Amino acid sequence: SAVISQKPSRDICQRGTSLTIQCQVDSQVTMMFWYRQQPGQSLTLIATANQGSEATYESGFVIDKFPISRPNLTFSTLTVSNMSPEDSSIYLCSVLGGNTEAFFGQGTRLTVV
Amino acid sequence: SQQGEEDPQALSIQEGENATMNCSYKTSINNLQWYRQNSGRGLVHLILIRSNEREKHSGRLRVTLDTSKKSSSLLITASRAADTASYFCATDEGYQKVTFGTGTKLQVIP
């Protein structure tokens, strides 16, 4: 198993600003995953972050809006840029275990006003 | 696009009753997993069933998998108020990609 520390746990931000979410894992992992969960919805994968290379973004998500850093094998950040109320969601980081079971941080509940 | 479609979307039962949730998916999978999410927090992995398995148990949880019908079910027996949460199925399609279903919101009434 993996223990993931994600912060902040919640934030209220003004539109047009940016928020950086941090994710720290207690072990080294090759890939880290960032998800968005809009109110009442399921999880949608934003991107996969590999150490030493650019993140791979899913359809509908772009680097300019969601820049990701992965400076080492235990840490990653996701920035939500130029926020609008539509970005209000829960953002989750995740890693996979040996059987591809996913371990999650506690999530960041973002409200954009 | 979502891999798993779950039904029902919402389920309300009395404490002590059994809860059954169903998940259907579209493509071949390596395994199927179920997760619980409390109050919009991080998801917690409950159980994994491989594509060559048909049934698996873990405590009060029973999962079935029918690959011919591309469907799975999660049964929670003798439900408790603490089981109130959203439940998601997720499929491992290979290439380290796990895709989550639409979820079932379960309410257990004390």
Side-chain angles (χ1 to χ4, degrees):
Chain A
S1 67
V3 177
I4 301 174
S5 174
Q6 184 176 340
K7 57 182 181 181
S9 59
R10 60 177 61 225
D11 208 341
I12 301 173
C13 300
Q14 296 290 322
R15 68 177 67 201
T17 63
S18 298
L19 175 71
T20 295
I21 302 166
Q22 299 180 5
C23 186
Q24 178 77 49
V25 188
D26 69 342
S27 58
Q28 294 184 339
V29 293
T30 304
M31 291 189 282
M32 296 177 72
F33 304 87
W34 287 98
Y35 289 88
R36 181 177 73 184
Q37 185 179 27
Q38 293 177 303
Q41 303 297 312
S42 185
L43 280 69
T44 301
L45 182 64
I46 298 171
T48 303
N50 295 310
Q51 195 269 333
S53 64
E54 280 203 4
T56 303
Y57 289 83
E58 298 297 307
S59 176
F61 297 97
V62 295
I63 188 171
D64 289 346
K65 176 66 176 178
F66 297 102
I68 287 171
S69 78
R70 185 78 203 275
N72 58 53
L73 290 173
T74 63
F75 187 79
S76 179
T77 67
L78 169 76
T79 298
V80 186
S81 303
N82 188 25
M83 289 183 285
S84 67
E86 292 71 35
D87 294 320
S88 296
S89 294
I90 297 171
Y91 292 85
L92 296 147
C93 67
S94 171
V95 302
L96 296 183
N99 292 317
T100 71
E101 71 275 35
F103 299 96
F104 286 87
Q106 283 300 296
T108 297
R109 186 183 293 269
L110 171 63
T111 302
V112 184
V113 297
Chain B
S1 63
Q2 294 301 133
Q3 166 71 310
E5 297 287 332
E6 294 179 59
D7 77 272
Q9 289 186 332
L11 179 61
S12 184
I13 59 173
Q14 294 290 327
E15 200 166 31
E17 294 181 338
N18 296 339
T20 299
M21 290 159 258
N22 303 296
C23 171
S24 60
Y25 57 93
K26 296 175 185 172
T27 62
S28 297
I29 60 171
N30 294 326
N31 63 60
L32 186 142
Q33 305 165 33
W34 286 89
Y35 292 80
R36 183 185 72 227
Q37 183 181 38
N38 291 90
S39 302
R41 305 297 283 172
L43 280 70
V44 175
H45 180 262
L46 294 175
I47 193 167
L48 179 152
I49 186 165
R50 300 186 190 283
S51 60
N52 61 353
E53 296 176 313
R54 292 296 167 259
E55 187 171 313
K56 201 161 184 180
H57 297 253
S58 177
R60 294 184 295 113
L61 305 180
R62 173 179 170 253
V63 170
T64 63
L65 179 64
D66 187 334
T67 53
S68 66
K69 295 181 180 178
K70 291 186 169 58
S71 68
S72 174
S73 68
L74 171 67
L75 169 68
I76 303 174
T77 60
S79 64
R80 306 167 181 168
D83 295 328
T84 294
S86 293
Y87 292 82
F88 294 88
C89 66
T91 49
D92 171 14
E93 304 162 43
Y95 305 105
Q96 297 283 298
K97 187 168 184 177
V98 175
T99 305
F100 288 83
T102 52
T104 293
K105 197 166 186 177
L106 173 66
Q107 181 184 26
V108 181
I109 302 167

